[in-house]
Amino acid sequence: MYGLIHSAARQMVLDQLGAEAWRRVLQRAGFDDLHFINGEVYSDEATFALIGAIVDENGIASDTLLFEFGRYWIGFVATSAFANAMAATGDDFVSFVDGLDRLHRSVRTAMPQARMPSFEVLSAIGGNVEILYVSERAGLDNFVAGLLQGLLEKFGARGAISYARADDGVVFSIALEARAAA
Ligand code: HEM
């Protein structure tokens, strides 16, 4: 995966645990450099080794870490070089998720080797939203749940997120909380 992802992980560890913790994480994961290059591609094995090392440093479950990293990513990219692309993707939760593939396609011009996932809003009826997530990678479902949680928060919404495997991917169901009448 592109180093932008690793840079976000680095910033999260620095924010939450500090510089010494980040040094230990790199050592555990077998990296020498303190920084990652945003535009360079690292193997998925290296990415998962980094996540594993953060889990060990943190002492939390990997599902929890992936969820928290998903939430963190939403704030991270909103202040990155891709802030404009984020801002142009949608004005509410459902239209944003609907625009995610377009967003990733626009990112691909800067990162042509990216293997992007796809998201499809299957239905959005009466506060219940169903989203199909398709990826060639396994093990990122809790990351996606955290991303969706981060998007809900971005739009000032709340909802319960659950997911289940389907034949063609993973279906995320979000039961949006009704907003209090103004
Ligand atoms: C401007 C904002 C964004 C940028 C620059 C971006 C960029 C990327 C990049 C570079 C990758 C890795 C692909 C690779 O290296 O092979 C990726 C993967 C991914 N992105 Fe985004 N992304 C953005 C926003 C989002 C948002 C808002 C979501 C919310 C659902 C999302 C969901 C994912 C997921 C789940 C993956 C994991 C790849 C997989 O499932 O195989 N991204 N993105």
Side-chain angles (χ1 to χ4, degrees):
M1 287 202 210
Y2 273 94
L4 183 67
I5 316 283
H6 312 72
S7 298
R10 169 181 176 272
Q11 198 55 52
M12 183 177 76
V13 173
L14 288 176
D15 285 358
Q16 297 177 356
L17 303 171
E20 275 314 306
W22 177 240
R23 271 176 218 281
R24 285 193 296 271
V25 164
L26 285 181
Q27 226 169 21
R28 270 205 197 103
F31 288 106
D32 318 320
D33 286 338
L34 289 180
H35 288 83
F36 289 92
I37 299 163
N38 288 354
E40 194 162 309
V41 179
Y42 299 85
S43 71
D44 281 9
E45 289 71 28
T47 308
F48 282 109
L50 186 67
I51 290 169
I54 299 173
V55 164
D56 290 347
E57 177 68 30
N58 236 327
I60 58 173
S62 69
D63 284 355
T64 310
L65 188 274
L66 282 170
F67 184 89
E68 285 309 322
F69 184 44
R71 276 183 76 198
Y72 189 87
W73 175 253
I74 299 299
F76 180 85
V77 282
T79 58
S80 74
F82 297 96
N84 288 344
M86 275 290 276
T89 297
D91 293 331
D92 59 70
F93 177 76
V94 173
S95 60
F96 193 99
V97 173
D98 213 29
L100 266 175
D101 286 4
R102 183 164 33 87
L103 171 68
H104 274 139
R105 275 197 299 277
S106 78
V107 169
R108 277 184 70 102
T109 53
M111 300 181 177
Q113 294 176 60
R115 287 147 47 210
M116 298 299 195
S118 92
F119 291 89
E120 184 189 346
V121 178
L122 298 173
S123 62
I125 304 164
N128 287 306
V129 185
E130 296 223 317
I131 298 162
L132 177 66
Y133 158 65
V134 180
S135 167
E136 56 183 80
R137 298 184 174 96
L140 292 177
D141 297 350
N142 282 287
F143 177 56
V144 174
L147 286 160
L148 296 175
Q149 174 67 35
L151 286 178
L152 287 174
E153 288 165 9
K154 172 179 162 62
F155 293 110
R158 285 170 185 231
I161 302 171
S162 57
Y163 61 83
R165 295 199 167 273
D167 287 345
D168 43 356
V170 182
V171 175
F172 284 78
S173 304
I174 296 102
L176 293 172
E177 273 180 25
R179 289 191 186 215

